[in-house]
Amino acid sequence: MLYSVILLLHNALRWLVLGSLLGVLVSAYSGLLRRRPYTPTDQTLRIVATSIAHTQLLLGIYLYTISPIIRYYWQTKPSFGQAPELSFFALIHLSLMLTAVVLLTIGSSKAKRQTSAPDQFRTTAIYFTIGLVLILAAIPWPFSPLAARPWVRLLN
Ligand code: HEM
């Protein structure tokens, strides 16, 4: 029961992660192109997106410890070819998502410390673009040949 709730939350929160990252990127690229000042709105967007990503990270780490498929993976340690879906979640999803969230965190704190608006927009644009690409690559989309999961999950 707890597992189904966490899985549902982790599924749903992905949309907030993606939406907030998109918001940050629109602000960063528009700021760079229009050469405007770095406003409190840019700052808030960046902090909110990073916090949502951190929440998803915590949910993911918790999910990792309670997921039956992860437990089964570490009990049997199959090769990638033997169990692509299990290996995807146990190794690829974990490492790409961790890397992405670390990049968002570094980018966000670097931008916070910088003093010129172009530097802040550039740093945010670079780190958050790479973070978003990694996250998009590591999401188990319904059309993924490795691990297909639903767009939206309902409790059953
Ligand atoms: C921004 C980061 C992340 C996003 C957007 C994300 C997204 C997702 C999505 C959409 C699913 C499919 C859920 C479903 O089947 O309905 C999933 C599954 C999963 N995620 Fe993440 N995830 C992220 C980070 C993490 C991290 C850092 C970990 C582990 C430390 C993790 C562990 C898992 C596990 C174990 C599953 C599969 C659980 C199972 O089926 O039993 N996720 N993730």
Side-chain angles (χ1 to χ4, degrees):
M1 177 60 192
L2 177 65
Y3 168 63
S4 332
V5 173
I6 302 292
L7 191 60
L8 180 149
L9 290 175
H10 192 69
N11 182 316
L13 198 62
R14 146 261 306 253
W15 297 111
L16 280 183
V17 170
L18 294 176
S20 61
L21 288 183
L22 223 59
V24 172
L25 288 179
V26 169
S27 102
Y29 284 104
S30 77
L32 258 187
L33 293 175
R34 291 203 219 127
R35 299 166 197 274
R36 57 176 178 77
Y38 200 80
T39 63
T41 309
D42 297 308
Q43 170 104 347
T44 306
L45 264 175
R46 209 192 67 232
I47 292 170
V48 167
T50 312
S51 309
I52 294 174
H54 285 163
T55 310
Q56 181 72 324
L57 174 74
L58 291 182
L59 279 178
I61 292 172
Y62 185 54
L63 196 52
Y64 201 92
T65 65
I66 61 172
S67 164
I69 64 166
I70 301 292
R71 193 175 321 129
Y72 185 71
Y73 176 86
W74 289 111
Q75 275 167 5
T76 56
K77 298 204 183 73
S79 68
F80 195 90
Q82 282 171 328
E85 178 167 348
L86 299 191
S87 311
F88 170 82
F89 283 112
L91 308 174
I92 300 176
H93 186 75
L94 167 77
S95 38
L96 289 186
M97 292 307 197
L98 265 178
T99 310
V101 178
V102 167
L103 287 177
L104 299 180
T105 311
I106 295 175
S108 183
S109 63
K110 218 176 151 191
K112 182 184 172 187
R113 280 184 273 108
Q114 287 173 322
T115 45
S116 87
D119 284 350
Q120 291 180 295
F121 286 130
R122 196 175 312 108
T123 301
T124 309
I126 293 172
Y127 281 86
F128 280 64
T129 301
I130 302 173
L132 178 60
V133 168
L134 291 179
I135 289 172
L136 285 174
I139 285 181
W141 296 108
F143 49 81
S144 160
L146 271 185
R149 293 297 179 89
W151 298 106
V152 176
R153 196 176 273 281
L154 303 170
L155 271 187
N156 45 25

